[in-house]
Amino acid sequence: MATPALASPGTGTPSARQYEAVGLGSYQGDFLEPAALNNHRDIVGRVGGQPFLWRSGEVETLAVLTMGSTGEALDISDSGHIVGASTTDGVQHAVYWKADGSVWELPGLGGPFSVARQVNERGVILGEAMDADGNWHYVRWDDRVVTDLGAFSGDVSTSGINGAGQMVGTAPFGSSRHAARWEADGTLNDLGVVAGTTMSWGNAINDHGVVVGEASNGGMGDVTVAFSADGAESSVLPVADGYSATALKINNAGLIIGQTFGGLAESNPTMWVDSVQVDPKSVGVGTPLIKDLNDNGDLIGGFGGMQTGEAYLYV
């Protein structure tokens, strides 16, 4: 299969770029746990049970729904939309933070729990909510109006949304499950599998419609895959001998981050540029977990759970 065109980051390929680590520091004695960053290098996450925004080295905690609530910010767009969750008395609510720092609770599906996981530049939000019977559903919010995308099952999942409102995930096709892309109008596209596999998963999508994920004959992470924007081509991304891997995110310049697996418990971050695998350590990324990337190729990373050490912005 032909390889989809995946351009190098605008600042050069990782083999030519050596990253510098900027420590995110701590807040009131707790290490920051970053979740996402945007193209302005604004970072959101949680610290000491509170949602935070890190900007130019300064940390501010974000509002929660009520005094005593905890929370976490999970995504931020370039236009400043921030989404996540706020938990009160053990009940988690999907929330959206406005530019002025105020917090709005997003409507659910009649049940007590919900969470907002991703937001695009237009403010369309992807997340999950529980119905009145206790069943979890995938949902989308647009102008604070919730749309039910279907109940959780072993066959259907959603995992990402891009600036055009296209969503990526997994859906049943025939007797198997394949990586799938939903267009903004709800049209479902089968992204297929690669030679030698019978199922696939879509993990992330960029604004060009290119999807990355994995494919398998029955187990997760057998091969990593890039699916072209038109859905007509797919290709296996190279992985070092003896390892399996999954591709987790892709930026608009084509830089892909993921995780490799070897042995019973060993896992390490990895990157692909122009469909070539790169060891993050060789370019100055020294943490065992890469959480997110932006279109400039900047990264955020840290440690398992990111409560045991300082997290970093790699620029």
Side-chain angles (χ1 to χ4, degrees):
M1 295 267 186
T3 301
L6 302 176
S8 303
T11 49
T13 66
S15 59
R17 172 182 180 176
Q18 284 294 312
Y19 283 92
E20 295 182 5
V22 177
L24 300 185
S26 60
Y27 181 83
Q28 297 183 348
D30 293 306
F31 288 114
L32 303 184
E33 301 176 60
L37 82 161
N38 64 15
N39 289 330
H40 305 300
R41 295 177 177 168
D42 301 328
I43 300 170
V44 295
R46 68 179 178 181
V47 59
Q50 297 297 306
F52 77 83
L53 169 64
W54 184 99
R55 177 175 287 157
S56 300
E58 299 294 326
V59 181
E60 64 175 284
T61 56
L62 300 170
V64 288
L65 290 176
T66 62
M67 185 174 294
S69 295
T70 59
E72 57 182 335
L74 296 174
D75 198 20
I76 180 171
S77 70
D78 289 344
S79 50
H81 301 295
I82 302 174
V83 299
S86 180
T87 300
T88 304
D89 296 329
V91 178
Q92 183 186 56
H93 306 271
V95 293
Y96 163 79
W97 285 274
K98 297 172 64 178
D100 64 6
S102 59
V103 61
W104 287 357
E105 181 178 351
L106 295 168
L109 295 177
F113 295 95
S114 58
V115 58
R117 296 199 180 277
Q118 290 194 6
V119 60
N120 69 10
E121 290 306 309
R122 297 191 293 113
V124 181
I125 301 165
L126 188 63
E128 294 132 32
M130 183 179 285
D131 66 21
D133 295 323
N135 302 307
W136 279 98
H137 294 239
Y138 299 102
V139 295
R140 184 182 68 230
W141 291 275
D142 196 346
D143 289 333
R144 298 183 69 197
V145 175
V146 64
T147 299
D148 186 354
L149 300 177
F152 280 21
S153 72
D155 294 326
V156 178
S157 65
T158 63
S159 56
I161 187 169
N162 67 8
Q166 295 173 310
M167 297 184 300
V168 66
T170 306
F173 292 95
S175 60
S176 186
R177 291 174 289 169
H178 293 176
R181 186 178 64 230
W182 288 263
E183 305 304 326
D185 63 4
T187 302
L188 177 62
N189 293 311
D190 180 1
L191 298 182
V193 295
V194 294
T197 67
T198 58
M199 60 186 72
S200 61
W201 294 262
N203 292 336
I205 185 170
N206 68 12
D207 287 346
H208 305 301
V210 178
V211 171
V212 293
E214 56 207 57
S216 172
N217 275 319
M220 296 291 284
D222 284 4
V223 295
T224 51
V225 183
F227 301 95
S228 63
D230 62 7
E233 298 177 349
S234 59
S235 63
V236 175
L237 298 170
V239 177
D241 291 344
Y243 289 84
S244 62
T246 180
L248 297 174
K249 295 191 176 183
I250 178 172
N251 70 5
N252 288 332
L255 176 62
I256 300 168
I257 60 172
Q259 202 79 6
T260 64
F261 306 95
L264 295 177
E266 181 184 357
S267 65
N268 293 285
T270 192
M271 305 162 65
W272 291 269
V273 176
D274 293 332
S275 299
V276 175
Q277 189 180 25
V278 174
D279 180 358
K281 290 182 180 178
S282 70
V283 294
V285 180
T287 49
L289 183 64
I290 302 175
K291 285 287 292 183
D292 199 15
L293 77 168
N294 64 19
D295 290 335
N296 302 314
D298 304 319
L299 311 168
I300 50 173
F303 300 85
M306 286 194 271
Q307 298 176 348
T308 58
E310 185 170 16
Y312 297 91
L313 166 66
Y314 292 98
V315 299

